[in-house]
Structures are given as structure tokens and as C-alpha cells.
Amino acid sequence: MIAFENVTKSFGPLVAVDGVSFAVPKGEAFALLGPNGAGKTTLVRMLLGFSRSTAGRIFIEGQPAGRSESRRKLGYLAEIHRIPPYLSGWEYLMRQAAFCGLAGVQARAAVSEMLKRVGMEGQEKKRASHYSKGMVQRIGLGAALLGDPALLVLDEPVSGLDPLGMRDVRVLLEEYKRRGGTILLNSHLLSEVERLCGSVAIMNKGRIMVQGPLAHIVQASETLEEVFIRHVEGGKANDA
Amino acid sequence: MNNLSRIAFITVKDLMRQKSFYVLLAVALFFVLLLRSCYHGSYTINGRTLDPASLALHASVIAFHVVAAGMFLMTTLLAMGIFSRDREDGTMVMFLARPVERWQYLLGRIAGTWLLAALFMFILHLTIALIGLANTGTLVSGYFTATLICSINLLFGVMLTCTLSLFLPNVMAAIFSLIIIAVGFVSDGAYQLMQSETLRQVISGQTKTAPWRILFPKVYMLQDYASTWITERAFEAMPLGYVWLNVLVWTALLAALALWRFSRSEI
């Protein structure tokens, strides 16, 4: 479904992503883990075409990422999702629905259904400027799920949500995964990753330190947190 | 509806949500309505009293030019912050995370701003035409054609400000846009004066025009040509085909520059 082939991204002398390669098969939930500044968000931005790679190639279902055609297949939720403050949740989702090819009654039905699914029913007429961070994140997730995309790209999807909100999002994502959807998840919450994802890649300083199925990476005697710390701290020790 | 026209439509809706749009429109209409008093005076030029029809025509032409020139300020204010605002409030990501090409987003935003500016100008020109009709009983023919022609100037103005705003901070982009337009007005206004026989005789030997002045955006000339639809005089300041070509080529060049810049920018 997604393939990163030796992808590098430099900002002047700073190498944010350094020769990263991995693939996410269709129907899999894949997590990108790493400390702040590891290059996870840069990878996601390149996948969406928001940023160009300095070297290497990225594909979504065989098509080069960044083309509008490849974005037709994906839904995206940013870490700090923003909704224009003058729009209501309803208006925002209706706009998103229009770009998914939905119109008229079909769009209104899809948006109503989505508002129910993300727990925002009854709040849709309020302007986004009156939404809490968690409400914005829920509307953002609803927008990402509109049009039933084959791939969900989520950058810290539960950021700003309370425990109940986190549970609701997890339920939605598990349901999406059961229906055969592919997920690329960027998260700091290792417990959420362990529950949802089958494979992970741990990044540090623009490089992948380890990747593979969760069952292979995490041995019986340790936790994902310990593996994460070992690889990230190990990277620091090697640098020293 | 394709993505470009959908984004243009959304842009018009978004701009019309801003209170500042209505404040600007109300202020502009207030000044245009002050024109009513011009029709009630008695004007004598070279010992001849102007008849109401001539008075209406002259007042309409002056108001036409003031509105058309003033609209450059309005378009600059509307266009200067489109892209930076879209970056800040998440609108840019909202569009570009969907199957929308960058050129569709860019041109859609520009087209929407232009359409709204043209509508704004049309309302003001319509008000002037109606004031003339109410005071003289005659509608100045050609007024709406003149407005349509001037809307091309607005497209140039929007394109100029939007393109500069991709390279410069918003305020700098607005100031540079207004300077470029003002230089065009002064340069072409002076050029037109130089074409008069009287002035040519006074400053004989100094009528050669610098190449940059010939190549500079001919927004003033296009506006002057538009006004000939009201006055029904001939436009002789320079070849009309060149005036059209100049403004359209500049607009296309600016669009190409904006597309080049935006296609390489990080979202």
C-alpha cells in the first residue's frame, strides 16, 4: 500500500530524514515511533506531498506520492488539527465531503453519520472557534474518515483527547482496521500503538533504528517502552 | 463542479463572511453617494453653463476613474493575506490533503478573490450609474462594458499582490503592489499628456519614451480605454491591441511565477 524507498530530506545542512525505507502492506496498521525531532512528521508530510524529498521515492498503491490521484485514497489527521475558526463542524465536514466526490443528500447523510461516529452529534452547528482541542481533533478524524479512504495517515490522533475520547478514537480505528483499511500511525503513546498496530518502526535522528512486526521486535521479557528506550538511548550512546 | 471552481466559490463565501468586507463596501458606497450633490449645482466653464447631461457625463467619468483606481487598494487589501491566513488557520492543509492539485488551489483562491473584487466594483459603478439616471433621466450607456474591462485590471492587481505575498511578508507585498500600480498610473498619465500637441510644442525634442515605460503594466491605459465606452471618444493614447496584450501578458507572467513559487514551497 505504501512504500518508502531510500527517502532522504534535508533542510540545508540539517538531515531530517536519512535514507529511510519501509513498506506498509494493505490492511496493516503500522506505527512510526520516535522522540521529538526524529523525522516522523517529515515522513508523513512527504507522503502527503506537503514537502518534497531530497532523494528517494515514495509510493501509494504504486503511484508516486504527492500526486492528487494518490491523495484520493487517503484520509489525513494532523497532530495539531486546525479548522478555520469561522466554520462550523458541519460546514467543515461538508467541504471535505465535496472534495471526496460527495454532494447533496449523499454528502449530508455521510456527514451526519460521521458526526455520530466521532461523537460530535449536536455540536456541529457551533463555530470551530468555540471547540475544545479534543472536539477539533474529533472533527478532524471525521474528516479523515469521510469518503471511506483505503489509507489513514494519523499524526498523533489522540493528542488533546481525554481518556474517554482516546477510547472512542481507538474503537473507530479498530473498526476501520477490521474493514480492511490501512493505517500509518505516528504516536508517542506506546500503549495505543501496542493495542492497534501489528508493525512498528522506531526512528531516531532521521534514521530507522529498528522495524518489523511488533511480535518480533518486542521480546517476551520486555515491553515496547523498554525497546523504544533501548534503541533511542542506544542511538545517543553511539553518537557519544 | 471541478476543484478550481469549487475553491473559487469557497473563497468568495469565506471573504464575504468577513465583517471588514461589508465595512469597506459601506464606506465606499457612502463616498459614492456623496456624488449626488454634484448634480444639483450650477457649473460654468469658460463662461458657458454646463447642461445637466454634460454634467452627468463628466461626474460619471470622474467617479468611474476614482472607483476603478480605488479598487486597486481594495483588491490589495483582499489579496494580501490569503495564503498566509490559509497556512495559519489550516485551510491550506484542508484543501491540499484532498485530491486537489496545488495549481487548482492557488488559481482557485486568486479567481475567487478577483470575482469578489469585480463584484464590489460593479456594485459601486452601478450605484454611480443609478445616481446619474435618477438625476438626469438617462443611463450612461457603456458604463457596464467599462466596468467589465476594468475588471481585467483587478485581475492583474490580485495576481500581483498574491504573487508578491508568496515571496514577501504581506504588508511588504501590499506596499510593493500599490507602488507598482501607482508608478504605472503616473508614468502612463504623463505619457498621455505628452501626446497632446500643445505640450509637444512646448517641450519639443524631449518626447522620447524610455523602454521601461512602454513595457510597464498598462493598467492606467486599460482604465482610460474603458472610460472611452462612457465618453464615446476615440482611444488614441497608444495601440489598443498593445494595451490589452501588455496587461494580459503581465497577468500571465505573474500567474506563472506564482505557480512556480507555490509548487516548490513547503506546506
Side-chain angles (χ1 to χ4, degrees):
Chain A
M1 182 84 198
I2 314 171
F4 287 80
E5 293 179 359
N6 209 20
V7 176
T8 297
K9 176 71 183 179
S10 305
F11 297 98
L14 176 76
V15 182
V17 174
D18 190 2
V20 166
S21 297
F22 67 87
V24 181
K26 202 168 187 171
E28 182 155 5
F30 188 97
L32 274 174
L33 302 174
N36 291 333
K40 309 183 300 291
T41 299
T42 306
L43 272 182
V44 167
R45 288 167 49 76
M46 286 191 283
L47 178 70
L48 289 155
F50 292 171
S51 181
R52 286 180 171 205
S53 60
T54 311
R57 297 184 303 176
I58 307 169
F59 296 97
I60 300 173
E61 282 204 326
Q63 287 189 18
R67 287 189 186 169
S68 65
E69 267 312 300
S70 62
R71 284 197 298 274
R72 200 176 291 282
K73 303 174 180 77
L74 68 83
Y76 167 62
L77 176 62
E79 179 180 2
I80 304 166
H81 191 78
R82 281 174 292 186
I83 301 176
Y86 47 85
L87 291 181
S88 67
W90 174 266
E91 289 169 316
Y92 180 73
L93 289 177
M94 283 299 285
R95 281 189 183 182
Q96 294 278 351
F99 287 102
C100 294
L102 301 169
V105 179
Q106 203 185 5
R108 281 193 289 277
V111 168
S112 296
E113 170 62 22
M114 194 52 69
L115 284 163
K116 271 187 216 165
R117 283 175 69 189
V118 297
M120 285 294 288
E121 203 180 20
Q123 308 281 345
E124 69 270 26
K125 299 294 177 195
K126 282 185 189 169
R127 286 193 176 191
S129 53
H130 296 117
Y131 286 163
S132 66
K133 197 179 171 194
M135 289 161 94
V136 169
Q137 211 65 6
R138 282 168 188 263
I139 292 284
L141 183 62
L145 286 166
L146 267 176
D148 211 10
L151 168 66
L152 262 188
V153 180
L154 307 167
D155 199 353
E156 300 289 353
V158 292
S159 165
L161 293 181
D162 56 28
L164 290 176
M166 284 163 73
R167 185 200 59 193
D168 292 347
V169 169
R170 193 191 321 125
V171 168
L172 274 171
L173 294 181
E174 280 169 351
E175 180 197 323
Y176 173 80
K177 196 179 148 192
R178 268 198 304 279
R179 292 211 314 257
T182 309
I183 298 173
L184 178 65
L185 175 68
N186 230 350
S187 183
H188 285 114
L189 284 174
L190 302 181
S191 57
E192 293 298 317
V193 169
E194 279 181 305
R195 286 182 190 195
L196 188 72
C197 298
S199 298
V200 298
I202 297 176
M203 288 185 77
N204 192 23
K205 293 180 181 167
R207 290 185 184 167
I208 290 190
M209 311 305 288
V210 63
Q211 64 167 308
L214 207 54
H216 290 184
I217 289 175
V218 183
Q219 304 300 317
S221 57
E222 58 185 357
T223 62
L224 179 59
E225 187 180 345
E226 286 167 339
V227 174
F228 178 84
I229 291 169
R230 177 155 48 86
H231 284 286
V232 173
E233 293 279 293
K236 280 182 187 166
N238 287 343
D239 284 350
Chain B
M1 198 189 283
N2 66 27
N3 285 338
L4 196 149
S5 47
R6 187 177 288 130
I7 292 170
F9 178 66
I10 286 172
T11 304
V12 172
K13 272 177 77 176
D14 286 353
L15 288 171
M16 287 182 76
R17 281 171 189 268
Q18 295 179 18
K19 282 181 191 151
S20 57
F21 172 78
Y22 296 98
V23 171
L24 281 169
L25 185 60
V27 169
L29 277 172
F30 172 75
F31 282 108
V32 165
L33 287 169
L34 289 179
L35 190 70
R36 284 178 310 161
S37 55
C38 297
Y39 292 92
H40 303 304
S42 173
Y43 299 85
T44 307
I45 297 173
N46 290 339
R48 279 178 53 208
T49 304
L50 274 181
D51 61 286
S54 300
L55 180 63
L57 186 68
H58 282 97
S60 297
V61 171
I62 291 166
F64 172 82
H65 279 296
V66 169
V67 167
M71 277 307 297
F72 281 113
L73 178 64
M74 175 71 195
T75 52
T76 303
L77 290 175
L78 280 177
M80 64 189 263
I82 298 176
F83 300 120
S84 59
R85 195 168 52 237
D86 280 3
R87 272 184 202 279
E88 281 164 23
D89 71 12
T91 306
M92 197 178 275
V93 168
M94 177 181 84
F95 287 126
L96 295 177
R98 291 291 170 193
V100 173
E101 298 286 358
R102 287 191 182 200
W103 68 266
Q104 290 174 326
Y105 162 76
L106 187 93
L107 296 184
R109 281 314 226 184
I110 289 171
T113 309
W114 171 53
L115 284 173
L116 192 70
L119 176 71
F120 194 106
M121 184 170 70
F122 179 79
I123 292 170
L124 296 181
H125 279 158
L126 178 68
T127 309
I128 297 165
L130 290 176
I131 291 170
L133 176 66
N135 285 281
T136 64
T138 52
L139 191 66
V140 179
S141 60
Y143 219 95
F144 302 111
T145 313
T147 299
L148 275 178
I149 293 168
C150 274
S151 70
I152 303 298
N153 267 349
L154 295 188
L155 178 60
F156 169 82
V158 172
M159 198 66 85
L160 178 64
T161 310
C162 285
T163 305
L164 289 178
S165 74
L166 294 172
F167 292 87
L168 300 168
N170 293 341
V171 176
M172 295 300 289
I175 290 171
F176 272 110
S177 299
L178 291 173
I179 288 173
I180 288 168
I181 290 160
V183 168
F185 267 67
V186 171
S187 167
D188 286 351
Y191 175 85
Q192 206 175 27
L193 276 176
M194 302 283 258
Q195 304 306 304
S196 73
E197 277 303 315
T198 322
L199 206 65
R200 274 187 180 183
Q201 283 166 6
V202 173
I203 49 168
S204 58
Q206 293 178 35
T207 53
K208 202 176 173 193
T209 310
W212 73 266
R213 286 178 64 183
I214 295 169
L215 293 173
F216 210 78
K218 297 287 158 215
V219 283
Y220 170 80
M221 286 295 177
L222 193 62
Q223 187 176 309
D224 191 49
Y225 164 66
S227 72
T228 63
W229 281 82
I230 302 169
T231 57
E232 294 177 352
R233 66 179 164 82
F235 177 77
E236 290 166 341
M238 61 171 46
L240 181 58
Y242 175 70
V243 172
W244 274 108
L245 190 70
N246 176 288
V247 175
L248 292 175
V249 166
W250 272 112
T251 307
L253 282 175
L254 287 168
L257 186 62
L259 288 168
W260 173 81
R261 174 72 175 182
F262 191 63
S263 68
R264 276 154 184 76
S265 67
E266 301 268 325
I267 304 300

Short mmCIF file of all heavy atoms in Angstrom, two decimals, chain B residues 170-210:
data_model
loop_
_atom_site.label_atom_id
_atom_site.label_comp_id
_atom_site.label_asym_id
_atom_site.label_seq_id
_atom_site.Cartn_x
_atom_site.Cartn_y
_atom_site.Cartn_z
N ASN B 170 3.24 39.96 4.05
CA ASN B 170 2.01 40.51 3.47
C ASN B 170 2.03 42.03 3.29
O ASN B 170 1.64 42.54 2.23
CB ASN B 170 0.82 40.16 4.36
CG ASN B 170 0.55 38.69 4.36
OD1 ASN B 170 0.99 37.98 3.46
ND2 ASN B 170 -0.14 38.20 5.37
N VAL B 171 2.47 42.73 4.32
CA VAL B 171 2.44 44.20 4.25
C VAL B 171 3.38 44.69 3.15
O VAL B 171 3.03 45.59 2.36
CB VAL B 171 2.83 44.81 5.61
CG1 VAL B 171 2.89 46.32 5.53
CG2 VAL B 171 1.82 44.39 6.67
N MET B 172 4.55 44.08 3.05
CA MET B 172 5.50 44.47 2.01
C MET B 172 4.91 44.18 0.63
O MET B 172 5.06 44.97 -0.30
CB MET B 172 6.83 43.72 2.18
CG MET B 172 7.58 44.05 3.44
SD MET B 172 8.01 45.79 3.54
CE MET B 172 9.25 45.92 2.30
N ALA B 173 4.26 43.03 0.51
CA ALA B 173 3.64 42.66 -0.78
C ALA B 173 2.59 43.70 -1.17
O ALA B 173 2.52 44.12 -2.34
CB ALA B 173 3.00 41.28 -0.68
N ALA B 174 1.80 44.13 -0.19
CA ALA B 174 0.75 45.12 -0.48
C ALA B 174 1.37 46.46 -0.87
O ALA B 174 0.95 47.09 -1.85
CB ALA B 174 -0.13 45.29 0.76
N ILE B 175 2.40 46.87 -0.13
CA ILE B 175 3.03 48.17 -0.44
C ILE B 175 3.67 48.14 -1.83
O ILE B 175 3.46 49.05 -2.63
CB ILE B 175 4.08 48.53 0.65
CG1 ILE B 175 3.35 48.85 1.97
CG2 ILE B 175 4.96 49.69 0.23
CD1 ILE B 175 4.27 49.00 3.17
N PHE B 176 4.40 47.07 -2.13
CA PHE B 176 5.04 46.98 -3.45
C PHE B 176 4.00 46.96 -4.57
O PHE B 176 4.20 47.58 -5.61
CB PHE B 176 5.94 45.74 -3.53
CG PHE B 176 7.34 46.00 -3.05
CD1 PHE B 176 7.80 45.45 -1.86
CD2 PHE B 176 8.21 46.81 -3.78
CE1 PHE B 176 9.08 45.70 -1.41
CE2 PHE B 176 9.49 47.06 -3.33
CZ PHE B 176 9.94 46.51 -2.14
N SER B 177 2.90 46.24 -4.34
CA SER B 177 1.83 46.19 -5.37
C SER B 177 1.31 47.60 -5.64
O SER B 177 1.17 48.00 -6.80
CB SER B 177 0.67 45.33 -4.89
OG SER B 177 1.09 44.03 -4.66
N LEU B 178 1.03 48.33 -4.56
CA LEU B 178 0.47 49.68 -4.73
C LEU B 178 1.48 50.62 -5.39
O LEU B 178 1.11 51.45 -6.21
CB LEU B 178 0.00 50.23 -3.38
CG LEU B 178 -1.23 49.52 -2.81
CD1 LEU B 178 -1.53 49.98 -1.39
CD2 LEU B 178 -2.45 49.72 -3.70
N ILE B 179 2.77 50.42 -5.05
CA ILE B 179 3.80 51.26 -5.68
C ILE B 179 3.85 50.98 -7.19
O ILE B 179 3.87 51.91 -8.00
CB ILE B 179 5.18 51.02 -5.02
CG1 ILE B 179 5.21 51.64 -3.62
CG2 ILE B 179 6.32 51.60 -5.88
CD1 ILE B 179 6.46 51.32 -2.81
N ILE B 180 3.83 49.69 -7.55
CA ILE B 180 3.90 49.33 -8.97
C ILE B 180 2.71 49.93 -9.73
O ILE B 180 2.86 50.51 -10.81
CB ILE B 180 3.95 47.79 -9.13
CG1 ILE B 180 5.33 47.27 -8.68
CG2 ILE B 180 3.66 47.36 -10.58
CD1 ILE B 180 5.43 45.77 -8.52
N ILE B 181 1.53 49.81 -9.14
CA ILE B 181 0.33 50.34 -9.80
C ILE B 181 0.39 51.87 -9.88
O ILE B 181 0.08 52.47 -10.91
CB ILE B 181 -0.94 49.85 -9.08
CG1 ILE B 181 -1.10 48.34 -9.33
CG2 ILE B 181 -2.18 50.59 -9.56
CD1 ILE B 181 -1.99 47.62 -8.36
N ALA B 182 0.85 52.49 -8.79
CA ALA B 182 0.94 53.96 -8.78
C ALA B 182 1.94 54.46 -9.82
O ALA B 182 1.67 55.43 -10.54
CB ALA B 182 1.33 54.44 -7.38
N VAL B 183 3.09 53.77 -9.92
CA VAL B 183 4.09 54.16 -10.92
C VAL B 183 3.48 54.04 -12.32
O VAL B 183 3.68 54.90 -13.18
CB VAL B 183 5.38 53.30 -10.78
CG1 VAL B 183 6.30 53.47 -11.98
CG2 VAL B 183 6.11 53.65 -9.50
N GLY B 184 2.72 52.96 -12.54
CA GLY B 184 2.06 52.76 -13.83
C GLY B 184 1.12 53.91 -14.15
O GLY B 184 1.10 54.42 -15.28
N PHE B 185 0.35 54.34 -13.16
CA PHE B 185 -0.60 55.44 -13.36
C PHE B 185 0.13 56.74 -13.68
O PHE B 185 -0.23 57.46 -14.63
CB PHE B 185 -1.48 55.62 -12.12
CG PHE B 185 -2.76 54.85 -12.19
CD1 PHE B 185 -2.77 53.47 -12.17
CD2 PHE B 185 -3.99 55.51 -12.31
CE1 PHE B 185 -3.95 52.76 -12.25
CE2 PHE B 185 -5.18 54.80 -12.40
CZ PHE B 185 -5.16 53.43 -12.37
N VAL B 186 1.18 57.04 -12.90
CA VAL B 186 1.90 58.30 -13.09
C VAL B 186 2.62 58.29 -14.44
O VAL B 186 2.53 59.24 -15.23
CB VAL B 186 2.91 58.53 -11.93
CG1 VAL B 186 3.82 59.72 -12.21
CG2 VAL B 186 2.16 58.72 -10.63
N SER B 187 3.29 57.17 -14.72
CA SER B 187 4.06 57.07 -15.96
C SER B 187 3.14 57.19 -17.19
O SER B 187 3.42 57.95 -18.11
CB SER B 187 4.80 55.74 -15.97
OG SER B 187 5.31 55.48 -17.24
N ASP B 188 2.04 56.45 -17.18
CA ASP B 188 1.15 56.46 -18.34
C ASP B 188 0.33 57.75 -18.43
O ASP B 188 0.00 58.20 -19.53
CB ASP B 188 0.23 55.24 -18.33
CG ASP B 188 0.99 53.98 -18.70
OD1 ASP B 188 2.15 54.11 -19.12
OD2 ASP B 188 0.44 52.88 -18.56
N GLY B 189 0.02 58.30 -17.25
CA GLY B 189 -0.68 59.59 -17.25
C GLY B 189 0.20 60.65 -17.89
O GLY B 189 -0.26 61.44 -18.73
N ALA B 190 1.48 60.64 -17.52
CA ALA B 190 2.43 61.59 -18.09
C ALA B 190 2.60 61.34 -19.59
O ALA B 190 2.65 62.28 -20.39
CB ALA B 190 3.76 61.48 -17.38
N TYR B 191 2.67 60.06 -19.94
CA TYR B 191 2.82 59.68 -21.35
C TYR B 191 1.65 60.22 -22.18
O TYR B 191 1.83 60.76 -23.28
CB TYR B 191 2.89 58.16 -21.47
CG TYR B 191 2.93 57.64 -22.89
CD1 TYR B 191 4.15 57.55 -23.57
CD2 TYR B 191 1.77 57.25 -23.55
CE1 TYR B 191 4.19 57.09 -24.87
CE2 TYR B 191 1.80 56.78 -24.85
CZ TYR B 191 3.02 56.69 -25.51
OH TYR B 191 3.05 56.24 -26.80
N GLN B 192 0.46 60.09 -21.60
CA GLN B 192 -0.73 60.55 -22.31
C GLN B 192 -0.71 62.08 -22.49
O GLN B 192 -1.08 62.59 -23.54
CB GLN B 192 -1.97 60.13 -21.55
CG GLN B 192 -3.18 59.99 -22.43
CD GLN B 192 -4.37 59.46 -21.65
OE1 GLN B 192 -4.46 59.66 -20.45
NE2 GLN B 192 -5.27 58.79 -22.33
N LEU B 193 -0.25 62.76 -21.45
CA LEU B 193 -0.14 64.22 -21.54
C LEU B 193 0.84 64.63 -22.65
O LEU B 193 0.62 65.58 -23.39
CB LEU B 193 0.34 64.80 -20.21
CG LEU B 193 -0.71 65.04 -19.14
CD1 LEU B 193 -0.05 65.52 -17.85
CD2 LEU B 193 -1.72 66.10 -19.61
N MET B 194 1.92 63.85 -22.74
CA MET B 194 2.95 64.15 -23.75
C MET B 194 2.42 64.02 -25.17
O MET B 194 3.01 64.54 -26.11
CB MET B 194 4.14 63.19 -23.58
CG MET B 194 4.77 63.22 -22.23
SD MET B 194 5.80 64.63 -22.02
CE MET B 194 7.38 63.88 -22.24
N GLN B 195 1.33 63.26 -25.30
CA GLN B 195 0.78 63.07 -26.64
C GLN B 195 0.03 64.31 -27.14
O GLN B 195 -0.26 64.43 -28.32
CB GLN B 195 -0.19 61.87 -26.67
CG GLN B 195 0.42 60.56 -26.19
CD GLN B 195 1.68 60.20 -26.94
OE1 GLN B 195 1.70 60.11 -28.16
NE2 GLN B 195 2.78 60.04 -26.20
N SER B 196 -0.28 65.25 -26.22
CA SER B 196 -1.04 66.43 -26.65
C SER B 196 -0.13 67.36 -27.46
O SER B 196 1.04 67.55 -27.14
CB SER B 196 -1.62 67.16 -25.44
OG SER B 196 -0.59 67.83 -24.76
N GLU B 197 -0.69 67.90 -28.53
CA GLU B 197 0.07 68.74 -29.46
C GLU B 197 0.69 69.93 -28.74
O GLU B 197 1.85 70.27 -28.96
CB GLU B 197 -0.86 69.22 -30.58
CG GLU B 197 -1.02 68.20 -31.70
CD GLU B 197 0.30 67.79 -32.34
OE1 GLU B 197 1.14 68.67 -32.63
OE2 GLU B 197 0.51 66.57 -32.51
N THR B 198 -0.11 70.55 -27.86
CA THR B 198 0.35 71.77 -27.17
C THR B 198 1.62 71.47 -26.38
O THR B 198 2.62 72.19 -26.46
CB THR B 198 -0.74 72.26 -26.19
OG1 THR B 198 -2.01 72.04 -26.81
CG2 THR B 198 -0.56 73.69 -25.81
N LEU B 199 1.56 70.37 -25.63
CA LEU B 199 2.70 70.04 -24.77
C LEU B 199 3.91 69.64 -25.62
O LEU B 199 5.06 69.95 -25.28
CB LEU B 199 2.31 68.91 -23.82
CG LEU B 199 3.10 68.87 -22.52
CD1 LEU B 199 2.81 70.12 -21.68
CD2 LEU B 199 2.74 67.63 -21.72
N ARG B 200 3.66 68.97 -26.73
CA ARG B 200 4.75 68.57 -27.62
C ARG B 200 5.52 69.78 -28.12
O ARG B 200 6.74 69.77 -28.23
CB ARG B 200 4.20 67.79 -28.81
CG ARG B 200 4.04 66.32 -28.52
CD ARG B 200 3.65 65.62 -29.78
NE ARG B 200 3.49 64.19 -29.56
CZ ARG B 200 3.21 63.33 -30.50
NH1 ARG B 200 3.07 63.74 -31.74
NH2 ARG B 200 3.07 62.06 -30.23
N GLN B 201 4.75 70.84 -28.44
CA GLN B 201 5.39 72.05 -28.95
C GLN B 201 6.22 72.74 -27.86
O GLN B 201 7.32 73.22 -28.11
CB GLN B 201 4.34 73.02 -29.49
CG GLN B 201 3.82 72.58 -30.85
CD GLN B 201 2.55 73.30 -31.27
OE1 GLN B 201 2.11 74.22 -30.60
NE2 GLN B 201 1.98 72.89 -32.38
N VAL B 202 5.69 72.69 -26.65
CA VAL B 202 6.40 73.35 -25.54
C VAL B 202 7.71 72.63 -25.22
O VAL B 202 8.75 73.25 -25.03
CB VAL B 202 5.48 73.38 -24.27
CG1 VAL B 202 6.26 73.90 -23.07
CG2 VAL B 202 4.27 74.24 -24.55
N ILE B 203 7.67 71.30 -25.18
CA ILE B 203 8.89 70.55 -24.81
C ILE B 203 9.38 69.74 -26.01
O ILE B 203 9.62 68.55 -25.91
CB ILE B 203 8.63 69.64 -23.59
CG1 ILE B 203 7.35 68.82 -23.79
CG2 ILE B 203 8.57 70.43 -22.32
CD1 ILE B 203 7.20 67.71 -22.77
N SER B 204 9.52 70.38 -27.15
CA SER B 204 9.95 69.69 -28.37
C SER B 204 11.34 69.09 -28.15
O SER B 204 12.20 69.67 -27.53
CB SER B 204 9.95 70.66 -29.55
OG SER B 204 10.80 71.73 -29.26
N GLY B 205 11.51 67.89 -28.67
CA GLY B 205 12.80 67.23 -28.55
C GLY B 205 12.91 66.36 -27.31
O GLY B 205 13.89 65.66 -27.14
N GLN B 206 11.92 66.39 -26.45
CA GLN B 206 12.01 65.57 -25.22
C GLN B 206 10.83 64.60 -25.12
O GLN B 206 10.40 64.24 -24.04
CB GLN B 206 11.99 66.48 -23.99
CG GLN B 206 13.23 67.34 -23.89
CD GLN B 206 13.14 68.27 -22.69
OE1 GLN B 206 12.61 67.93 -21.67
NE2 GLN B 206 13.70 69.46 -22.85
N THR B 207 10.33 64.18 -26.25
CA THR B 207 9.14 63.32 -26.23
C THR B 207 9.48 61.84 -26.34
O THR B 207 8.59 61.00 -26.37
CB THR B 207 8.18 63.70 -27.37
OG1 THR B 207 8.92 63.67 -28.57
CG2 THR B 207 7.55 65.05 -27.13
N LYS B 208 10.75 61.48 -26.37
CA LYS B 208 11.12 60.07 -26.48
C LYS B 208 10.78 59.34 -25.18
O LYS B 208 11.08 59.83 -24.09
CB LYS B 208 12.61 59.96 -26.77
CG LYS B 208 12.98 58.65 -27.41
CD LYS B 208 14.43 58.61 -27.78
CE LYS B 208 14.78 57.21 -28.24
NZ LYS B 208 16.22 57.03 -28.31
N THR B 209 10.16 58.17 -25.32
CA THR B 209 9.72 57.44 -24.12
C THR B 209 10.71 56.32 -23.82
O THR B 209 11.10 55.57 -24.72
CB THR B 209 8.32 56.84 -24.36
OG1 THR B 209 7.49 57.87 -24.86
CG2 THR B 209 7.74 56.28 -23.09
N ALA B 210 11.09 56.22 -22.56
CA ALA B 210 12.03 55.16 -22.15
C ALA B 210 11.37 53.79 -22.33
O ALA B 210 10.16 53.66 -22.08
CB ALA B 210 12.43 55.38 -20.70
#
